[in-house]
Structures are given as structure tokens and as C-alpha cells.
Amino acid sequence: MAKWGMVIDLEKCTGCQACSTACQMENNRLPGENYQDVLYYTEGKQPTPTLKWFPRPCMHCEEPSCLHVCPTKATFKTADGVVLIDWNKCIGCKFCMIACPYGVRFYTDEKPLIEPNIKDVFKGSGDLSWNPPYKGPQQDNAHGVGIQPNGVVSKCTFCYHKISKAPAGTANLTNEDEATREFTPACVRTCAPTARYFGDLDNPNSEVSRMISSKKGTRLLEHTGNKPQVYYVTGSGAGGGAAVPMGRNGINKV
Amino acid sequence: MTTQVEAKGPVGMAMMAGVAGLVISLGIVFSNLMSSGHASFNTGSNGVTWGLPVVNYVFFVLTSTGLTFVASLAMVFGFKEFYPIAKRCVWLAVVTLIAGFASLALEIGHPFRMLWAIPLSFQYLSPLNWMGVFYLAYLVLLLLKFQKVNANDWDSSGSRTLGIASFVAVVIAHGTLGGVFGAMIMRPMWYGPLVPIYFLLTAAVSGAAFAVLITYLTYGSAGNMPEKVRNLMAGSMSKVFAAVLAVVILAVVSRTVIGLWTNADGMQVWDHVVASPWYWIEIVLMVAAFLMLVNGSSPMLPALMVIVSLFIGRYEFIISGQLVPLFKGSWVPGLIQYTPSLTEWMTTLVAFSIALAGWAVGEKMLNLAAAPEGKNS
Ligand code: SF4
Ligand code: SF4
């Protein structure tokens, strides 16, 4: 069984946010509730501030603190290493949002980011929080895929509706290869400079494994022990561009 | 037999205020929740996750914890002079616990699903799971204990065992609540193995303050109190209250100093905490209350001051712990902004009203002044 993981090459990331947009379309996300975000920030003060950015999906941690705190086991980890939420079990206590060090979880019952409230324009029926005119083909509440119901928490699924259909033994999921294109997460498919790589971390010959070892892949906030399955390569942050944000002590948050 | 002491304080008024408060607050909360759901709260995925309703919850369940401590002084540890307020404290522990639960239920996305999803799944790794288990056990034990005491059974082995069991249950329960915050290494303002102890201390002082204030409310004034109650209030109760308060002041100050001193990422929120006038109100109220207590003045006003101060403290703890943004949003703010909405404030009123009305009902119907034969005036 694969252990899915991602590598993001910060040297290649241009901050275009195509990944975020593709994810919004694929997963019917509301404004401000992007599973995949590119965070913009400035570092340094006048006269030499630099504009930086940092792409950030759910890390699908090996030791997910979100899972450990979830009192209902609504948050679970699949055998192929993906952290998902069972919307039928989630009680909306939001402890997982507190406990995720990477801020990647979303509760949908909150004030809209923009007016008019899109949820009011396309009103949902039953439990579903809204009813967008375009919907992905999937609605799988038990895996937290599709339109988010009210009162529960959602997050990036690594496009579980796609990757779970990949043939067993697949090492790389990439847009380049016609055989795997359909199974590749939307953000990875759409990344124009191919800054995103996706594949089996347990397979030493996969592209992701090779990049992590040859380019010294780093993981965010190692002190939390969450052990992300999303790795960042290069991007020392010197001179601006895509970089891991610095903490208060001036050290990158790895 | 025990004697029913005529309560001369404003119990009837408190009951009316509590019921009125409950009607108004529940009306507003429910109508807003029906029309806009939790969007009527100012919490958000990109802002503060646990808002004012969680502050209320922690404030009230820890108050309940502290009230059980006070009741246990007589019923578990044998300090007999605390008997005249023991029954009232047990009852208050029940109603404040319910007040806390009510506020939490208004905050959770699916409170009814919770009732089956937590016990059926039983995630033993989650502090929240254990918090549910032990606070529920505590509630049941408290009710059983109250039933015994209400039947005038203070000293049978069954009654004593229930008293000890509820004390043990609440010590563990508040510890799991401490774990909910103290285990969060990704939020350094909360993190620390001693958070359960910090909660234990602040719970004790919260319980003492409520025990004092409600005793004064029951009788109206010290002059109306039976002699034993009056002596207790002016004597041991004031001393215990002052001693625990002193330790709490030290704990708050040491948290602040260490918070300001450390450079770890996330702790910068302490600069924000001490820049707020509310922090200084909290400190001044506590210190002034302590000075009043050691100078032998009536503990009623200090109790009120400490309750206000503790509420500020709970708010500060729970909200400030979330103000340093993690990796969220498209433009990273320095600190997250949060002010509770009207609906959230109404959940506070819900909780206070339940506590107030619940106490007054007990005072009118359950003879809360009762104490074991020969141990009361
Ligand atoms: S990044 Fe957060 S939500 Fe995703 S698995 Fe890790 S702890 Fe859970
Ligand atoms: S909000 Fe849902 S997924 Fe998150 S901890 Fe609570 S029950 Fe689990």
C-alpha cells in the first residue's frame, strides 16, 4: 500500500495561486476556506522588506495531532496515509482546528468573507451548507469529500476521490503521464511551473522520495512531532520569493 | 433534624432575574442560531476558533470544580466548620456545571450527535473524550451525593464514599480539561504540564469566591447569618479564600513574567495581553481583594471582585492562546482580531442565568442551609 505524500519545490513556486484556484473548483470551496492556500507575508523592515509567499495544503501528518484530539474518531488516517474526516461522525467541536499546527482546517458556519454570502445565493438543501452551480462529481461524506455539510470541519483530502482510484503500486502521480493524470490531485495537476510532486513516500524510487533525499526535503514545525507527509525543498528564503516563513527568533519554521 | 433557616437575602429577586435572563438570552441565542447558525458568532476558521462560549464553559466547570473542593472540606476532609455551607456548595456545583455544559452545547456544531459519537468511538488519545467521561461521572456522582445529603444522610458510608468519589472524579476531570489546553504544543501560550495544576488553583479560588458570594446573597447580610455561618465567613472561609488567592496571584504573575521573557514563537501574544487594560483590571481586582481579606473586611466584596477578575482571566487565557496566527489565510496578520458578538455574549448570559436561577430554586425548595445534626446552629 502506498503512503501518499507531496513535495513542493519552493524554488519553482511563483506564487500564482493556480493550485488554490484548482482546488477551489475541484472541491467546491467557499472564499476564505481554501484547502490549499498560498500565504503572502513580508519579512524584514523598511528600507529592505521582501515580499514572500508560502504554499500550504494539509500536511497529512504521520502523527496527526488533529486525529489524536478528535473525540469521535471522525478524523482518521487511511491505510494509504491520508488524513480524512468522516462528516457523519464529526460533532463540530473544533478541537482539531485548535490542535492542527498548520491551520488547514475549516468550519463553514461562520461569517462570509465576501458579500453577498455565496451560501445564501446558492442555498444548500438538507444538511449541505450550499449548492454551487458547478459541483464535482463526488459527494462522499464518510471521507469528507464534496460539499461541506453544516456544523462539521473540513480540510484538504489530497483529492482522495482521485488518488484512491490510482492503480496499486503507482509510484508517481503526475500530469505528465497520461496513465496517472486523472488520479493526480488538482493542485499538482494544475501547477504551471511543476513545483508540486506527488507520489508514494514508501517507494524509494518515487520522484518524491528521490527529491526528498537529493534536495534535503524539510518539514514544517518539526518540534511539534507531527511529521508532515508534505515536504518542502530548496527555498532558503534568501532574496525573497517562495519561502518557509520565519518565526519570531528569525529562524525558518521547520 | 435540621432547621430550615429562613433565607432573608434577595433569593426571590435572584430567581426572577435568573429566569428573565434565561428567557431573554435563550430567545436571542436561539433566534440567531436558527436564522444564521454559528455565523452569528464572531469566531472563524481564519480567526479565533474557540470563542466566548468556550470561555464561559471553562469558567463555569472550573467554578463547579472549586465548589466541590469547598464542599469536600467538610464532607471529605472533616473540617466540620464548613458543614453549614456544604450542601449549598454541592448544589451550586451541580448548577454551575450545567451552566457550563449549556454554553458548550450552544457552541458545538452537532451537540446531539456528540451524545452517541463520543462514547461509541471512544478515542482514548483525546483529552476531550476523557473530559467528557469524567465530567459526566462527576455530574452523576454529585447528583447522587446531593440526593443523600438532601435525605439528611451525611455520614453513612455510602454518603461518604459518594463524597470522596465526586471529589476524585472532579480532580481528574479538571485535569483532563487542563490537558485540552496544556497538551497543545503548537499553541505555546497554553502549553505546559502544569496547566492542570494552574486550573486546580484557579478553580479552587473560583469555588471559594462563589461560595462566599452566594452565602451572602442567601442571608442578605452577615447580621442575618446564623452564628456558625457568620463565624465561618469571617474566619476559616476568609482565610482559605485569601490563602488560595495569594497562590493564584503568584501563578498569574509568574505565567506573565515567563510569557513576556521567553522568545519562543507564539509567546509574543503576552505583549498584547499586558498591553490590555483588562489584564491590569484583573490583577488589581485580585490584589485588592487579597488585601481586603487579610485586613479582615467582609469577604463579600472581595468575592465579587475575584469572580470578575477570574472571568477576565479565563477570557485572556482561552482567547489569547489563539491570537497568534498559524498558517492560515492569504495574507498573514500579526495577531488575530476578535471581539465576541452579541449572540456570544448572550451565551454568557445563558450560563449566568442558569447558575443564578438554579441556585435560587435550590434555596427555595431544597433547604440548602441544612447541615448534620449538632453541627449547625
Ligand atoms: S496538517 Fe493539520 S489537519 Fe493536516 S494532518 Fe496535520 S494536523 Fe491534521
Ligand atoms: S470538529 Fe469534528 S473532526 Fe474536529 S475534533 Fe471535533 S469531531 Fe473531530
Side-chain angles (χ1 to χ4, degrees):
Chain A
M1 179 88 38
K3 180 163 108 185
W4 296 119
M6 191 185 285
V7 168
I8 302 178
D9 187 342
L10 293 174
E11 208 151 77
K12 284 177 158 186
C13 171
T14 61
C16 70
Q17 307 189 64
C19 48
S20 306
T21 312
C23 175
Q24 283 164 10
M25 295 304 292
E26 183 69 34
N27 293 297
N28 299 108
R29 299 311 297 162
L30 288 156
E33 297 178 6
N34 303 337
Y35 287 164
Q36 153 60 45
D37 255 320
V38 180
L39 284 79
Y40 281 81
Y41 56 101
T42 45
E43 240 156 40
K45 293 205 166 70
Q46 289 292 2
T48 55
T50 45
L51 173 64
K52 299 197 172 173
W53 57 89
F54 180 65
R56 188 244 48 206
C58 166
M59 306 286 151
H60 294 273
C61 306
E62 276 170 39
E63 295 288 345
S65 44
C66 60
L67 180 155
H68 298 155
V69 301
C70 176
T72 64
K73 291 190 179 160
T75 294
F76 64 101
K77 197 160 172 77
T78 62
D80 48 359
V82 182
V83 176
L84 297 174
I85 304 167
D86 182 346
W87 283 336
N88 300 320
K89 273 181 158 182
C90 173
I91 58 170
C93 66
K94 302 187 272 181
F95 198 5
C96 52
M97 296 174 65
I98 291 286
C100 167
Y102 308 107
V104 310
R105 289 177 159 254
F106 301 91
Y107 188 67
T108 193
D109 303 355
E110 47 196 43
K111 295 213 158 57
L113 187 71
I114 53 165
E115 296 284 356
N117 186 353
I118 297 175
K119 284 194 282 190
D120 288 341
V121 178
F122 304 109
K123 278 197 188 306
S125 56
D127 205 20
L128 299 186
S129 58
W130 68 310
N131 182 25
Y134 166 80
K135 271 198 280 293
Q138 71 288 341
Q139 181 74 33
D140 179 2
N141 282 9
H143 293 89
V145 172
I147 313 282
Q148 182 170 354
N150 284 314
V152 300
V153 168
S154 67
K155 67 166 196 69
C156 155
T157 64
F158 264 177
C159 283
Y160 198 69
H161 53 288
K162 290 160 160 282
I163 62 169
S164 57
K165 300 203 177 80
T170 307
N172 307 309
L173 292 178
T174 142
N175 203 32
E176 328 270 274
D177 181 355
E178 223 170 287
T180 61
R181 189 171 291 161
E182 270 310 309
F183 313 124
T184 307
C187 59
V188 179
R189 269 194 81 169
T190 213
C191 180
T194 56
R196 287 174 180 254
Y197 300 81
F198 196 87
D200 182 0
L201 293 172
D202 276 351
N203 182 336
N205 294 317
S206 67
E207 184 80 15
V208 283
S209 297
R210 283 210 298 265
M211 286 188 79
I212 291 164
S213 59
S214 67
K215 295 195 164 190
K216 283 215 269 181
T218 52
R219 303 188 286 197
L220 209 52
L221 297 183
E222 282 285 28
H223 77 278
T224 63
N226 272 44
K227 301 188 184 156
Q229 284 170 213
V230 172
Y231 289 74
Y232 292 90
V233 294
T234 61
S236 62
V244 178
M246 277 195 284
R248 196 192 188 194
N249 48 14
I251 299 171
N252 285 347
K253 294 186 184 185
V254 291
Chain B
M1 252 319 286
T2 55
T3 42
Q4 165 83 55
V5 180
E6 181 69 28
K8 301 190 185 70
V11 179
M13 229 167 71
M15 174 130 68
M16 271 166 8
V19 171
L22 201 57
V23 170
I24 294 170
S25 57
L26 276 181
I28 296 178
V29 170
F30 275 126
S31 80
N32 288 353
L33 282 183
M34 296 291 186
S35 62
S36 32
H38 283 135
S40 52
F41 289 3
N42 283 347
T43 49
S45 298
N46 295 315
V48 159
T49 303
W50 281 348
L52 188 59
V54 176
V55 176
N56 304 331
Y57 168 71
V58 173
F59 177 80
F60 275 104
V61 297
L62 287 182
T63 296
S64 170
T65 306
L67 285 160
T68 295
F69 291 169
V70 176
S72 302
L73 285 174
M75 299 193 307
V76 177
F77 299 105
F79 295 102
K80 295 200 167 65
E81 51 184 323
F82 284 88
Y83 263 124
I85 59 167
K87 185 177 178 188
R88 181 171 297 116
C89 284
V90 175
W91 179 248
L92 282 173
V94 172
V95 296
T96 48
L97 189 61
I98 292 172
F101 282 161
S103 181
L104 191 67
L106 293 169
E107 203 267 350
I108 278 180
H110 287 286
F112 296 108
R113 186 179 291 173
M114 171 178 78
L115 300 178
W116 61 261
I118 294 186
L120 286 188
S121 314
F122 211 82
Q123 171 56 283
Y124 70 94
L125 290 168
S126 172
L128 210 67
N129 174 44
W130 291 110
M131 184 187 86
V133 169
F134 283 102
Y135 268 114
L136 193 67
Y138 165 61
L139 177 64
V140 172
L141 290 166
L142 262 187
L143 286 171
L144 291 175
K145 175 72 192 181
F146 186 81
Q147 193 197 23
K148 288 274 184 211
V149 168
N150 202 33
N152 217 7
D153 170 7
W154 294 81
D155 260 336
S156 74
S157 75
S159 179
R160 288 186 60 82
T161 310
L162 278 173
I164 295 169
S166 45
F167 177 77
V168 172
V170 80
V171 168
I172 302 176
H174 102 278
T176 60
L177 180 60
V180 166
F181 298 95
M184 298 298 108
I185 194 159
M186 62 298 292
R187 300 193 183 260
M189 201 255 190
W190 287 344
Y191 176 73
L194 292 183
V195 170
I197 305 299
Y198 175 71
F199 276 10
L200 186 130
L201 292 170
T202 48
V205 91
S206 192
F210 268 86
V212 168
L213 185 72
I214 296 294
T215 305
Y216 273 84
L217 277 183
T218 302
Y219 296 104
S221 70
N224 291 339
M225 290 177 193
E227 199 190 335
K228 285 198 171 172
V229 178
R230 191 175 339 125
N231 291 344
L232 173 65
M233 286 294 130
S236 299
M237 189 71 227
S238 285
K239 286 191 190 129
V240 170
F241 187 17
V244 186
L245 183 56
V247 183
V248 166
I249 294 171
L250 283 179
V252 172
V253 170
S254 85
R255 268 181 65 80
T256 312
V257 172
I258 291 181
L260 287 170
W261 186 85
T262 183
N263 260 333
D265 201 39
M267 292 300 252
Q268 61 269 43
V269 74
W270 278 102
D271 299 334
H272 171 80
V273 169
V274 297
S276 157
W278 290 107
Y279 174 80
W280 297 102
I281 295 173
E282 175 196 351
I283 296 285
V284 167
L285 284 175
M286 272 199 289
V287 172
F290 174 74
L291 293 176
M292 287 163 76
L293 285 171
V294 291
N295 280 322
S297 62
S298 150
M300 187 181 102
L301 190 57
L304 188 62
M305 287 155 65
V306 165
I307 289 169
V308 173
S309 170
L310 281 170
F311 192 83
I312 299 173
R314 298 281 182 240
Y315 184 95
E316 183 184 281
F317 182 89
I318 287 156
I319 303 302
S320 306
Q322 302 171 64
L323 293 185
V324 174
L326 298 172
F327 296 88
K328 192 155 273 190
S330 50
W331 194 276
V332 184
L335 281 183
I336 290 164
Q337 303 289 326
Y338 169 74
T339 335
S341 69
L342 174 73
T343 315
E344 290 177 84
W345 279 115
M346 285 300 123
T347 65
T348 307
L349 187 56
V350 168
F352 273 95
S353 303
I354 289 176
L356 196 64
W359 157 66
V361 167
E363 205 65 65
K364 287 225 178 277
M365 304 174 60
L366 296 168
N367 188 18
L368 298 184
E373 180 90 342
K375 289 167 185 160
N376 195 10
S377 52

